[in-house]
Amino acid sequence: MITKKNFLIMGVTMFVLLFLFQFSQIMKESGNEYDVNNYAAAASLNGEDVWQKSSQKDVLEEGGYVLFIGNRKSDIGKTVSWWCTYTKRELVVCQSVEECPEEAAEKAEVFLLESSYVTEKKDVEALAETARSGGNLIFCDLPDVYEIKTSRQWKELLGIRQVKEQRQEIQGVNLFSGFLLGGQAIYLPEDEEEKEERQDLDLSTVWYETITGCKTYMAGMLSDPTVKNEELPPLIWRAGVGKGKVFAVNGDFMRDCTGIGMLNAILAEIKPYDLYPVVNAQCIGVANFPGLASENPEKMKELYSRELPAVFRDIIWPGLCSAVEKIGAHLTCYLAPQSDYGDDEEPRKEQLVFYLRQLKEREAEAGLTLEYVSAGGLTGKMKADQSFFQNSGSQYRYGAAYVPPGGAAYSIEKLKEYDFFAHIQTVAGIYSAERPVVSYLTDEITLQSITSTGLSHTYKEDLRMKSLQTALGYSNIVLDMNHITWPEKEEDRWEILSERFSSQINTYWKAFEMFDQMTASQCDRRIRNFLAMDYEDSRVGDEIHVSIEDRNGNLWFILRTHGEKVVSVQGGDFKEIETDAYLIRASRDELTIRCEAEDSLYYYLP
């Protein structure tokens, strides 16, 4: 039997709990300004603010430049140019060794060479003399194996004892630790399934036998277990020639953005320390999600027993949230009002409101997609979307857009005549070797290349990912939900794709969790600041002094050392990435980084 007193206590308790629950929901709703994008703000920098190289005449007089012997417009030439822009290095280009300035050996920081532009015996001898006098050379590719095999000068310059095999089949590739960030990587499939899914590296190479004293950074792997590591076919190595160092790249690694990080890694081997700016941005996005119309209904009911909006809301959204929360990501959803503009299904306002609320609660961002299945052209899509957004009454400011592979792509400026598209400041597009990884598309709009789909991660993609993390502290994963809406094969089911997506983002990017997770609009600001800034650094004793120009907010650097650890940073702070590698945040225009040797017996040998 319940007494009146107990009944009263129970009643009051239930009322208080109900009130608190309802009050918290009311406060949550009232505080959730879902129609406001806190990440999208007017940009304070544009394409005119990008750091510019000085004139070649001025650079030659001042010194400290990068000398490239090759074709500026070739694949290697583009890689070199982008690398110099990102690291704020002056670039001097010559078409031949003979054209090089006489004082280049003393004034150039490093020589980068495209082998097809080193054609004469006297060129090789001149480069050898440059190395002997202290110049550092990087061969971004190698001449034909027959030319090396028959030339004593080439062998001496590159540290080659002999050509052991002109064409050697290898089983995999071993990237040794301490070169690219992320540690050692062994690209060797364990079974046929992994081989089919991931092995896309070139498994045929020239087997050069290097002389004693050469250091190998990446090597081919053989099926013969008796061959020692130092005897494996070298793919990237360093030879000492007199006072200088000569680096050789045996393969096509410098012909796309993979080469940018490799050049940073090589410079870190050349210098007592290397400090360079990075973007420091890890982005995860979902393209064509959410869809706001009930499309492809028959297939959706066949696979999921419900319409597309319910599939997205009840199945996919919870799974996405769970996957990205594990790594602390701030999601960017490039929404699609609809994909098939020829059917009778129209986008629903209540779906838009639901997802804008959800994104706001989870500190995520909504963007727009330029992809469609059928619309009578991009103009038809834009007009239909304009009508939907106007009728919905939404004032959300979309700052980012997704451009599909081969889509209407980069002539995006003309689309800003549509009101809902007027605030777009950055575009996510599939990486192309023809474009820089991060850059300006127009004076007002930045490009942040998509570096992974989140579904595929081949060996070549992993190598590129490690290189871009080394060079820029940057990655951009965008999962395209058209695989779900318009499936083409059995594997395009969410339960299969979600498992693969979650597994990949929680595995391969684990080594780079010290970099910042952010939305596309946040990354846009980082890119603008990164492209505009300039800096100078010098060292006195155990202190590295950095002066920064055009610092618009915080900036980030990677510092690579040799047996030294960072103990303090005045004007910022730091995180350890791995041994001898640190992420430095600059919150002021002047930085002082103090280092100390981890082992008093360690000495850097230049």
Side-chain angles (χ1 to χ4, degrees):
M1 180 175 178
I2 301 175
T3 65
K4 290 182 179 181
K5 182 179 179 181
N6 289 338
F7 180 79
L8 180 61
I9 293 173
M10 291 172 60
V12 170
T13 302
M14 293 177 65
F15 174 78
V16 170
L17 290 173
L18 178 62
F19 173 78
L20 289 175
F21 176 77
Q22 293 292 344
F23 181 75
S24 63
Q25 286 297 111
I26 291 171
M27 291 300 295
K28 186 177 180 180
E29 292 292 329
S30 64
N32 184 359
E33 297 179 280
Y34 69 89
D35 215 24
V36 176
N37 183 357
N38 291 335
Y39 298 114
S44 59
L45 297 171
N46 57 39
E48 295 179 355
D49 300 305
V50 172
W51 176 84
Q52 299 290 331
K53 299 181 181 72
S54 303
S55 69
Q56 187 151 313
K57 179 181 179 181
D58 293 339
V59 171
L60 289 173
E61 291 178 357
E62 295 175 4
Y65 51 83
V66 170
L67 180 64
F68 175 56
I69 301 175
N71 182 356
R72 186 192 295 267
K73 296 183 179 180
S74 69
D75 292 340
I76 291 175
K78 291 175 184 176
T79 297
V80 170
S81 180
W82 295 338
W83 174 67
C84 287
T85 296
Y86 292 154
T87 58
K88 320 300 176 180
R89 283 180 163 92
E90 302 287 0
L91 176 63
V92 173
V93 180
C94 298
Q95 295 289 312
S96 67
V97 175
E98 192 174 10
E99 285 184 19
C100 294
E102 292 183 5
E103 67 278 11
E106 297 178 0
K107 288 191 173 183
E109 179 184 16
V110 66
F111 286 65
L112 301 179
L113 300 112
E114 195 170 0
S115 65
S116 58
Y117 287 79
V118 183
T119 56
E120 303 290 336
K121 178 181 177 180
K122 63 179 181 179
D123 295 341
V124 182
E125 292 175 342
L127 291 172
E129 181 57 34
T130 296
R132 281 192 289 269
S133 62
N136 295 303
L137 280 58
I138 303 173
F139 282 90
C140 298
D141 63 350
L142 296 182
D144 183 80
V145 58
Y146 179 77
E147 190 172 350
I148 293 177
K149 186 175 183 179
T150 56
S151 169
R152 175 183 58 81
Q153 290 81 7
W154 267 116
K155 289 200 282 282
E156 288 180 355
L157 179 60
L158 296 172
I160 294 172
R161 176 176 286 112
Q162 66 170 330
V163 178
K164 196 161 186 176
E165 295 289 345
Q166 294 192 39
R167 187 54 53 189
Q168 174 66 45
E169 295 300 318
I170 57 179
Q171 304 300 307
V173 171
N174 188 349
L175 172 67
F176 297 108
S177 63
F179 188 60
L180 297 178
L181 297 182
Q184 182 182 25
I186 296 178
Y187 301 120
L188 181 67
E190 295 182 355
D191 50 43
E192 285 300 318
E193 182 179 356
E194 182 178 352
K195 182 178 181 179
E196 183 177 346
E197 289 185 358
R198 304 194 62 197
Q199 180 60 277
D200 59 346
L201 294 171
D202 187 357
L203 297 181
S204 182
T205 187
V206 181
W207 187 351
Y208 295 107
E209 182 181 328
T210 56
I211 62 176
T212 303
C214 288
K215 182 177 181 179
T216 300
Y217 302 98
M218 189 160 71
M221 302 178 70
L222 303 175
S223 56
D224 185 354
T226 64
V227 179
K228 300 177 181 178
N229 277 346
E230 59 270 21
E231 298 173 345
L232 292 172
L235 301 178
I236 301 176
W237 72 89
R238 181 194 74 197
V241 179
K243 298 178 181 179
K245 297 176 182 177
V246 178
F247 292 80
V249 178
N250 179 20
D252 293 334
F253 307 110
M254 293 289 182
R255 297 186 184 278
D256 65 11
C257 67
T258 304
I260 299 174
M262 289 186 170
L263 287 173
N264 281 107
I266 290 173
L267 261 289
E269 288 290 304
I270 290 175
K271 302 172 65 176
Y273 74 90
D274 192 29
L275 180 82
Y276 56 91
V278 294
V279 178
N280 183 21
Q282 309 288 291
C283 302
I284 294 186
V286 188
N288 301 299
F289 177 90
L292 306 180
S294 180
E295 298 188 294
N296 205 6
E298 293 182 0
K299 194 65 176 179
M300 292 299 101
K301 289 181 179 179
E302 174 190 337
L303 295 177
Y304 303 102
S305 302
R306 62 195 77 192
E307 294 185 340
L308 184 63
V311 174
F312 279 165
R313 182 186 65 245
D314 302 336
I315 300 175
I316 295 177
W317 179 241
L320 270 178
C321 292
S322 175
V324 299
E325 282 175 358
K326 292 178 181 178
I327 59 173
H330 295 284
L331 196 64
T332 301
C333 292
Y334 301 95
L335 65 84
Q338 51 188 324
S339 294
D340 186 355
Y341 290 77
D343 61 18
D344 296 328
E345 297 293 338
E346 297 295 328
R348 304 171 185 176
K349 176 185 175 181
E350 65 271 18
Q351 292 294 319
L352 176 64
V353 172
F354 170 80
Y355 282 107
L356 290 182
R357 288 187 186 278
Q358 291 290 312
L359 292 171
K360 184 76 171 185
E361 290 178 10
R362 296 183 178 276
E363 300 181 324
E365 178 181 15
L368 298 169
T369 181
L370 291 181
E371 191 166 15
Y372 58 88
V373 173
S374 175
L378 182 59
T379 300
K381 168 188 167 54
M382 297 297 287
K383 288 181 177 179
D385 289 352
Q386 176 93 317
S387 176
F388 167 71
F389 284 115
Q390 287 176 343
N391 293 334
S392 72
S394 173
Q395 300 299 311
Y396 194 88
R397 180 174 177 149
Y398 297 94
Y402 165 77
V403 175
Y410 299 108
S411 58
I412 202 168
E413 184 68 28
K414 66 181 181 180
L415 301 178
K416 300 191 79 169
E417 64 188 60
Y418 298 95
D419 292 341
F420 74 99
F421 213 79
H423 300 296
I424 295 295
Q425 296 185 153
T426 189
V427 166
I430 296 294
Y431 165 74
S432 166
E434 297 302 312
R435 289 184 173 271
V437 179
V438 294
S439 64
Y440 278 90
L441 285 178
T442 69
D443 278 345
E444 304 298 331
I445 299 174
T446 61
L447 166 68
Q448 40 186 291
S449 293
I450 297 169
T451 58
S452 174
T453 65
L455 300 177
S456 167
H457 198 77
T458 65
Y459 293 155
K460 189 177 290 186
E461 290 169 343
D462 187 80
L463 188 61
R464 186 175 68 194
M465 182 267 287
K466 289 179 181 294
S467 181
L468 289 179
Q469 298 284 25
T470 300
L472 301 171
Y474 169 85
S475 70
N476 190 9
I477 306 168
V478 177
L479 173 64
D480 191 344
M481 280 298 170
N482 269 350
H483 292 290
I484 302 296
T485 309
W486 309 97
E488 297 180 355
K489 51 186 183 297
E490 179 64 25
E491 290 75 16
D492 289 340
R493 292 176 61 92
W494 173 243
E495 58 266 31
I496 297 174
L497 296 183
S498 64
E499 182 178 354
R500 187 184 306 172
F501 178 72
S502 179
S503 173
Q504 289 200 11
I505 66 175
N506 284 283
T507 302
Y508 302 117
W509 281 263
K510 189 71 174 175
F512 307 104
E513 60 187 1
M514 72 296 300
F515 295 125
D516 291 345
Q517 297 282 348
M518 56 187 51
T519 70
S521 289
Q522 288 177 301
C523 182
D524 168 58
R525 290 195 292 276
R526 293 275 175 100
I527 290 171
R528 292 173 191 269
N529 294 344
F530 167 76
L531 293 175
M533 62 85 67
D534 193 9
Y535 74 103
E536 291 184 356
D537 65 276
S538 60
R539 180 162 186 168
V540 178
D542 61 359
E543 291 184 342
I544 299 170
H545 300 278
V546 188
S547 297
I548 304 171
E549 297 179 11
D550 301 316
R551 184 186 64 81
N552 193 346
N554 292 330
L555 292 172
W556 284 264
F557 296 83
I558 285 178
L559 171 64
R560 302 194 70 173
T561 66
H562 297 275
E564 290 185 299
K565 63 180 181 180
V566 174
V567 294
S568 67
V569 175
Q570 295 180 13
D573 52 43
F574 70 95
K575 297 178 183 177
E576 184 176 19
I577 301 173
E578 61 186 42
T579 302
D580 291 346
Y582 297 86
L583 179 65
I584 309 292
R585 181 180 69 92
S587 57
R588 298 178 186 174
D589 295 341
E590 300 289 332
L591 282 180
T592 300
I593 305 168
R594 193 165 70 85
C595 305
E596 65 179 28
E598 295 185 89
D599 185 344
S600 59
L601 298 179
Y602 180 92
Y603 295 94
Y604 172 69
L605 298 177

